[in-house]
């Protein structure tokens, strides 16, 4: 059967029209898989909402094809005066942490969005930054725009490094944080019976390290010679230095600590023929843990538990009586619980 050249042309044209009609449908039938960004945003009033931070991340990424899920926590807290602190923690896929200090929450949130976007696809951020440079603010009375030359045709230029504006800010070091605390002291290591007293101190934290100094007193504990009423009342004073390393930060701050403590244990005779008073200096070393829970800036609740071993164990006796009133054990426990103020 003979088919004319015009008939074949009409058939080809019809096929092209059908194909052109199907192209958009096929493109829409397979949309690009969206990126998964698990963003947790905690900020005080006056800071941008979480949707604005998400939009800034999406703008920086543009049409990036990176689809690896990322889990991010961003928390902004007010420090002294108008000063703000932004803590950014990337939980997955690669853990990381940044701290930003400033006074403008909006600019700090944009910097955080840049860090997150760079963690996902730095090449896409660099391309978008080069394609959309920041525009300077226009004056109120602007001159007529001057026509600009058409952009040159794109060519395959060698790959350029990201512009400075797309580089993430350098890691911020944690500012040293001071703390003052007041605690109830429970002592079993160097007194005859479990005694309750008071301790107060202060310290400084920088990064993972914390150092504290403290003073305390356990006002009353008693002991007597077995089988008699004679004995002594004991009072304990101490000065303490702790050096701690952070083992866990969220949800509780947990530190492993080593301590050195100088004690003064005083005994006053009770039910004895001749009154006596004796004070013995005792140095002890210990290991333990410190736990802090930040209730609301700047208030925290702190607790500590230490195993303490005295390096010297003097014997308290009553003259003219047989038997020992008290001798410190080879090791014991010391604990405290109280409130702290960070600054």
């Amino acid at each position: 059967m003979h088919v004319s050249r015009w008939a074949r042309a009409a058939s080809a044209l019809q096929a092209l029209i059908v194909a052109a009609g199907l192209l958009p449908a096929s493109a829409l039938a397979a949309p690009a898989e969206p990126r998964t960004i698990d963003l947790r945003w905690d900020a005080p009033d006056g800071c941008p909402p979480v949707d604005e931070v998400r939009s800034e991340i999406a703008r920086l990424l543009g049409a990036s094809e990176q689809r690896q899920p990322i889990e991010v926590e961003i928390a902004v807290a007010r420090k002294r005066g108008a000063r703000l602190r932004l803590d950014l923690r990337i939980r997955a896929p690669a853990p990381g942490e940044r701290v930003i200090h400033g006074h403008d929450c909006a600019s700090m949130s944009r910097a955080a969005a840049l860090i997150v976007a760079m963690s996902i696809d730095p090449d896409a951020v660099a391309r978008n930054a080069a394609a959309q440079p920041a525009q300077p603010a226009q004056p109120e009375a602007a001159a007529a725009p001057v026509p600009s030359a058409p952009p040159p045709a794109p060519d395959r230029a060698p790959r350029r490094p990201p512009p400075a504006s797309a580089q993430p800010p350098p890691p911020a070091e944690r500012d040293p944080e001071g703390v003052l605390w007041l605690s109830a002291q429970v002592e079993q290591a160097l007194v005859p019976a479990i005694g309750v007293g008071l301790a107060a101190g202060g310290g400084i934290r920088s990064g993972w390290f914390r150092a504290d100094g403290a003073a305390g007193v356990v006002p009353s504990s008693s002991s007597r010679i077995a089988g008699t009423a004679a004995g002594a009342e004991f009072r304990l004073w101490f000065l303490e230095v702790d050096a701690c390393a952070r083992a866990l930060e969220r949800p509780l701050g947990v530190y492993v600590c080593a301590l050195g403590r100088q004690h003064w244990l005083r005994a006053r005779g009770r039910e004895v023929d001749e009154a006596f008073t004796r004070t013995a200096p005792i140095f002890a070393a210990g290991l333990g843990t410190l736990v802090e829970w930040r209730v609301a800036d700047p208030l925290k609740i702190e607790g500590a538990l230490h195993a303490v071993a005295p390096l010297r164990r003097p014997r308290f006796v009553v003259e003219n009586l047989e038997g020992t009133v008290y001798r410190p054990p080879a090791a014991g426990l010391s604990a405290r619980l109280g409130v702290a103020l960070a600054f």
Side-chain angles (χ1 to χ4, degrees):
M1 178 176 176
H2 177 71
V3 180
S4 67
R5 181 169 45 185
W6 297 105
R8 286 197 300 271
S11 300
L13 179 60
Q14 183 179 7
L16 287 174
I17 293 173
V18 171
L22 290 176
L23 279 175
S26 62
L28 293 174
E33 181 185 350
R35 289 184 299 271
T36 302
I37 302 176
D38 183 2
L39 174 62
R40 302 176 189 176
W41 172 257
D42 182 14
D45 294 339
C47 288
V50 64
D51 292 340
E52 186 173 323
V53 180
R54 291 183 187 275
S55 299
E56 178 67 10
I57 296 173
R59 184 191 70 81
L60 291 167
L61 291 172
S64 168
E65 296 181 357
Q66 295 288 344
R67 302 183 180 92
Q68 188 176 23
I70 184 170
E71 183 180 346
V72 184
E73 295 180 3
I74 303 176
V76 182
R78 296 196 182 278
K79 303 298 286 184
R80 298 180 294 273
R83 188 171 173 80
L84 298 170
R85 169 175 169 155
L86 184 147
D87 289 271
L88 185 149
R89 293 179 179 83
I90 298 177
R91 299 296 189 187
E97 182 174 332
R98 295 287 179 88
V99 178
I100 302 173
H101 297 276
H103 295 84
D104 183 0
C105 192
S107 62
M108 294 169 66
S109 66
R110 288 193 295 270
L114 175 61
I115 294 172
V116 175
M118 291 289 288
S119 301
I120 297 173
D121 191 347
D123 293 334
V125 175
R127 288 194 301 268
N128 291 331
Q132 301 176 3
Q135 298 294 330
Q138 297 293 333
E140 294 183 1
V146 179
S148 58
D155 56 357
R156 295 189 177 182
R159 188 171 180 178
R160 294 175 298 174
S165 61
Q167 298 290 346
E173 296 295 332
R174 288 181 178 271
D175 280 352
E177 181 182 67
V179 61
L180 295 174
W181 52 264
L182 180 67
S183 298
Q185 181 79 20
V186 180
E187 191 72 26
Q188 180 267 335
L190 289 167
V191 291
I194 295 177
V196 179
L198 192 66
I204 186 169
R205 184 185 78 171
S206 181
W208 56 268
F209 178 75
R210 171 169 170 169
D212 281 73
V217 59
V218 178
S220 179
S221 183
S222 62
S223 181
R224 60 187 179 85
I225 299 174
T228 71
E233 291 284 344
F234 290 86
R235 178 172 294 181
L236 180 71
W237 292 271
F238 65 85
L239 294 176
E240 178 181 319
V241 176
D242 298 68
C244 305
R246 188 179 70 233
L248 180 66
E249 185 169 10
R250 293 290 181 92
L252 296 175
V254 179
Y255 292 82
V256 177
C257 302
L259 67 86
R261 186 191 285 179
Q262 178 63 51
H263 304 80
W264 290 269
L265 182 60
R266 188 179 75 169
R268 183 187 296 272
R270 185 187 68 178
E271 300 293 334
V272 294
D273 294 334
E274 296 183 8
F276 73 90
T277 300
R278 179 188 174 191
T279 301
I282 305 172
F283 184 81
L287 291 173
T289 184
L290 168 70
V291 179
E292 60 179 16
W293 175 42
R294 193 177 295 269
V295 181
D297 280 332
L299 184 65
K300 298 188 294 184
I301 295 177
E302 293 191 348
L305 177 65
H306 297 100
V308 180
L311 304 187
R312 177 172 174 261
R313 300 170 58 205
R315 191 184 301 272
F316 291 86
V317 298
V318 177
E319 292 196 14
N320 303 322
L321 291 177
E322 294 184 0
T324 300
V325 177
Y326 175 64
R327 187 185 185 194
L333 295 177
S334 176
R336 68 176 177 88
L337 179 65
V339 296
L341 187 67
F343 58 92

